[in-house]
Amino acid sequence: MKSDYYQISLFDDMFTIDKQLQNQNKDIVVSLSNIIISKLKYYTLDNYIKDIEIYGLEHTWANICEYVLTYGENADFLTVSNFGEMYEIGLAIQDKQQKKENGQYYTPDDVAYIMSEWFDSLEGQNLCDVGCGTGKLILTYLDYIGKDKAHNLLNEGKVYLYDIDTVALKICKTALLLKYGKELKDKIHDIAGDFLSSKIQLPHNSKVISNPPYAAIQQVGLFWSNTKVQKESKELYAIFMEKILKESVSSVIITPYSFISGSKFYSLRLLMNQYNGEIYSFDNVPGNIFCGRKHGVFNTNTSNSVRAAITVVRKKNSCGFRLTPLIRFKSIERKVLLQCKTLEEFLSPERQIVSSERPMYYKCFKELQPLYDCLIKKAGNHILAELVSNNGKHILSMPNTCRYFTSATSGKMNRNGQITLHFDDEKKYNYVYCLINSSFAYWHWRLYDGGITYPVSLLLKMPVIYNLLSEDDHVFFKEIVNEMYSKANTFIIKKKNVGIQENIKYPRQYRDRINQRFLNILNLKIDNSTMDLIHSNMALKVSV
């Protein structure tokens, strides 16, 4: 029978080898020449870059993996700790679009560690790293539990690796063999292929740790399950979550946070009603979870990142998830913040179940949970859309970008990107003017979105307590609106981005006065300063 393998000497012409292997789905067995052994012994970044440019990722890593398994790590460069970034550099050289199209965001060390700690607390005998890449998550977890326990799990065949990228999968397995012993080669389950295919299934009684791909579905796989989550979300990470939920006992998954409230993820949230656990969500300003270099040494930009969530799924047939607020933090807080016990302190006690009446998860500070509950109860079904009209003479405009606050003023502003609301009734206009300039409109956005812009549709769904206002309340709102409007020109900020971009920032005293009035209307004894949590740019110390 013809062998399914090619025997290669690195003394051969690699271009010839490329032609031999073109369109062949063959594993490569490498026979290292003395010249290559000598080079790899003193391998450098420059050598690596040159090899990628000449031979490509697959052949270069076949050589590296064979070398380190035979001769061990090169302490200066070829180490397990460097493999992830080396591979990222290689991807950048070979195909700068591939990383973007595959939706790859590499897990930072501190995030991998806290995920490992939560992973260790979960039920499930078989350990699965779905979308393992070069192995950051599984390697961190095995480090976390200690060498002896890790070796036993590997030796018992309880570790499963899944990835469509055969090169990354090979690097991951090589790293495990280097750390825990080459004799484990046949004990580690490395499953190459499309995880979403029905032909690939998780083992019985498994728990999953995963950083799935973050990209829109370009084409539905031939053997994918035809689910509502897939058809409605059109996002890879969502259908990865769906399959992991259905086939595992428990899991820890880091994804974008958009599934928490995005309308196209409603079917995923309905599925999540059948499970319980926790969801930790993170803003990406001023600090972000996916920090660090992208494309290795070629790009040190850290600003292009996603707002992420870590979802810990603990049990099936036990309903509800507890959520944190959208955590905003400064980089100087990162070390203290990214610890399990610290993050768990942010969780609201409320276990949320979604329904057609309440289709989104909300991200609430536990200190503000009583205020949220009271507001929802007293507002009933009343929303802002009831107060506006199509062509009313009273006009209110609001910038639709609101990093730390919302603001509104009379008439239209000189800027791109604004929401314009019309009112027939002056009392309704005054109420909404104050509502947008309070903390409540901004809080509504942070509860249900918190992205780049404030969607008009979300603003119009904001709960309102207009029906609770007394005549004294109407007088208060009228007087403060007149005062703010008379001084509005003093507080206009102009930025020259693309043309003139006007914004307005009133002194904090107005926000505090309006907040207190709303708290009085709701008959709540909550310290007004608690609202500072909503606007803070720090997680562990309020700074507004």
Side-chain angles (χ1 to χ4, degrees):
M1 181 181 294
K2 185 175 179 180
S3 173
D4 282 341
Y5 298 86
Y6 285 94
Q7 185 79 11
I8 297 173
S9 168
L10 294 190
F11 200 69
D12 292 338
D13 179 352
M14 297 303 288
F15 291 108
T16 303
I17 294 167
D18 280 340
K19 291 178 181 178
Q20 291 174 351
L21 295 179
Q22 190 173 15
N23 299 322
Q24 298 290 324
N25 185 19
K26 307 292 183 182
D27 290 328
I28 301 173
V29 177
V30 177
S31 176
L32 300 173
S33 71
N34 289 334
I35 294 175
I36 297 303
I37 292 170
S38 178
K39 178 173 73 171
L40 291 172
K41 185 176 181 180
Y42 302 103
Y43 211 42
T44 66
L45 179 59
D46 288 340
N47 296 144
Y48 175 67
I49 291 171
K50 186 175 180 180
D51 285 348
I52 295 292
E53 290 173 341
I54 296 173
Y55 308 130
L57 269 178
E58 184 175 2
H59 294 142
T60 299
W61 276 101
N63 308 337
I64 291 171
C65 291
E66 182 64 22
Y67 174 84
V68 294
L69 286 175
T70 304
Y71 300 100
E73 296 172 275
N74 169 343
D76 294 327
F77 186 64
L78 290 183
T79 63
V80 169
S81 61
N82 285 344
F83 283 178
E85 188 170 359
M86 284 177 64
Y87 186 61
E88 189 177 357
I89 292 169
L91 283 177
I93 298 168
Q94 179 164 290
D95 187 350
K96 293 188 178 183
Q97 278 298 110
Q98 182 177 336
K99 181 173 183 281
K100 181 177 180 181
E101 290 171 356
N102 289 347
Q104 294 168 307
Y105 282 81
Y106 292 94
T107 319
D109 293 345
D110 49 8
V111 177
Y113 187 85
I114 60 172
M115 289 178 68
S116 294
E117 189 171 340
W118 281 318
F119 188 56
D120 194 52
S121 70
L122 300 180
E123 297 178 1
Q125 292 184 347
N126 292 303
L127 283 59
C128 304
D129 187 342
V130 172
C132 64
T134 56
K136 169 58 72 67
L137 288 176
I138 193 64
L139 286 163
T140 302
Y141 175 69
L142 294 176
D143 278 345
Y144 173 80
I145 63 175
K147 192 164 187 178
D148 290 343
K149 189 173 180 181
H151 186 277
N152 289 340
L153 286 169
L154 291 163
N155 191 49
E156 292 167 3
K158 292 182 177 179
V159 174
Y160 293 75
L161 312 172
Y162 298 84
D163 209 293
I164 199 168
D165 185 335
T166 56
V167 179
L169 189 62
K170 184 179 184 70
I171 296 169
C172 180
K173 186 171 182 178
T174 298
L176 290 173
L177 296 177
L178 276 172
K179 288 179 71 72
Y180 299 105
K182 290 184 285 185
E183 73 278 2
L184 299 171
K185 181 178 180 181
D186 296 328
K187 301 292 183 70
I188 299 171
H189 306 278
D190 51 327
I191 299 94
D194 181 0
F195 175 73
L196 298 174
S197 169
S198 58
K199 295 184 176 182
I200 293 178
Q201 293 185 332
L202 293 173
H204 176 70
N205 196 17
S206 64
K207 61 180 180 179
V208 172
I209 191 167
S210 181
N211 180 353
Y214 304 179
I217 296 170
Q218 301 298 324
Q219 184 176 353
V220 175
L222 182 62
F223 298 103
W224 290 9
S225 298
N226 188 25
T227 68
K228 285 189 70 175
V229 174
Q230 174 237 301
K231 288 186 290 186
E232 293 176 4
S233 75
K234 297 181 173 58
E235 292 282 350
L236 282 174
Y237 87 79
I239 49 178
F240 266 76
M241 287 183 71
E242 177 187 31
K243 183 167 183 177
I244 291 169
L245 284 166
K246 289 179 176 178
E247 295 189 8
S248 65
V249 174
S250 57
S251 55
V252 182
I253 314 167
I254 184 166
T255 67
Y257 82 148
S258 48
F259 76 92
I260 292 174
S261 55
S263 59
K264 68 180 183 178
F265 301 101
Y266 176 59
S267 55
L268 175 61
R269 293 193 293 274
L270 282 179
L271 172 65
M272 293 175 69
N273 282 347
Q274 303 171 31
Y275 305 82
N276 79 7
E278 302 87 43
I279 303 173
Y280 304 83
S281 58
F282 303 89
D283 207 336
N284 67 350
V285 289
N288 60 74
I289 283 295
F290 290 103
C291 65
R293 293 181 291 184
K294 298 176 180 65
H295 296 164
V297 298
F298 295 105
N299 184 355
T300 57
N301 173 36
T302 61
S303 62
N304 182 23
S305 61
V306 298
R307 290 171 174 83
I310 300 175
T311 302
V312 183
V313 184
R314 296 195 178 276
K315 290 183 182 293
K316 289 184 177 181
N317 304 318
S318 183
C319 302
F321 280 83
R322 297 169 64 201
L323 281 84
T324 67
L326 185 57
I327 299 171
R328 175 182 277 155
F329 63 96
K330 288 188 174 181
S331 297
I332 58 172
E333 299 180 280
R334 187 180 180 102
K335 185 175 181 180
V336 177
L337 174 68
L338 294 187
Q339 299 181 33
C340 289
K341 288 184 179 179
T342 305
L343 291 173
E344 287 163 6
E345 283 296 312
F346 284 88
L347 290 167
S348 170
E350 181 85 5
R351 288 201 177 273
Q352 297 186 41
I353 300 293
V354 302
S355 64
S356 57
E357 290 77 25
R358 296 179 68 176
M360 299 181 286
Y361 292 130
Y362 61 90
K363 309 179 293 293
C364 187
F365 285 97
K366 63 181 181 181
E367 295 88 347
L368 293 172
Q369 187 69 49
L371 175 56
Y372 177 87
D373 293 339
C374 179
L375 179 61
I376 295 300
K377 181 179 179 181
K378 293 196 174 183
N381 295 323
H382 297 295
I383 59 175
L384 181 58
E386 299 172 11
L387 306 182
V388 301
S389 62
N390 291 329
N391 297 296
K393 63 180 181 179
H394 302 285
I395 300 173
L396 197 61
S397 64
M398 164 185 159
N400 68 350
T401 53
C402 41
R403 179 164 287 187
Y404 294 109
F405 60 90
T406 55
S407 60
T409 191
S410 180
K412 291 187 178 181
M413 304 188 76
N414 182 16
R415 61 171 290 123
N416 297 322
Q418 62 183 305
I419 298 170
T420 303
L421 303 176
H422 294 258
F423 302 87
D424 290 323
D425 184 275
E426 184 181 3
K427 288 184 177 180
K428 293 177 180 178
Y429 162 82
N430 290 335
Y431 171 80
V432 178
Y433 192 117
C434 289
L435 185 62
I436 294 176
N437 285 298
S438 73
S439 294
F440 285 81
Y442 182 72
W443 186 33
H444 181 70
W445 178 64
R446 297 287 288 180
L447 283 167
Y448 294 105
D449 194 308
I452 298 172
T453 61
Y454 203 136
V456 179
S457 59
L458 179 63
L459 180 66
L460 294 176
K461 290 177 183 176
M462 182 166 50
V464 295
I465 52 172
Y466 184 79
N467 59 313
L468 300 181
L469 303 188
S470 67
E471 198 54 43
D472 284 344
D473 293 325
H474 284 298
V475 171
F476 171 85
F477 290 134
K478 181 177 181 178
E479 289 178 349
I480 200 167
V481 166
N482 288 340
E483 182 181 338
M484 292 171 75
Y485 178 67
S486 68
K487 300 177 181 180
N489 288 337
T490 309
F491 308 125
I492 288 177
I493 302 167
K494 295 183 179 181
K495 292 185 179 180
K496 293 183 179 180
N497 297 332
V498 181
I500 299 293
Q501 290 287 89
E502 282 187 350
N503 201 347
I504 188 163
K505 184 177 182 180
Y506 293 105
R508 174 176 170 164
Q509 60 173 314
Y510 291 112
R511 188 178 79 205
D512 288 347
R513 286 167 60 190
I514 297 168
N515 285 348
Q516 189 60 60
R517 193 71 185 198
F518 280 125
L519 292 174
N520 293 343
I521 294 167
L522 291 167
N523 196 26
L524 278 175
K525 305 299 182 183
I526 293 177
D527 192 329
N528 193 1
S529 64
T530 307
M531 306 294 281
D532 290 348
L533 291 168
I534 300 166
H535 305 277
S536 177
N537 63 354
M538 300 182 73
L540 303 178
K541 180 181 178 182
V542 174
S543 174
V544 293

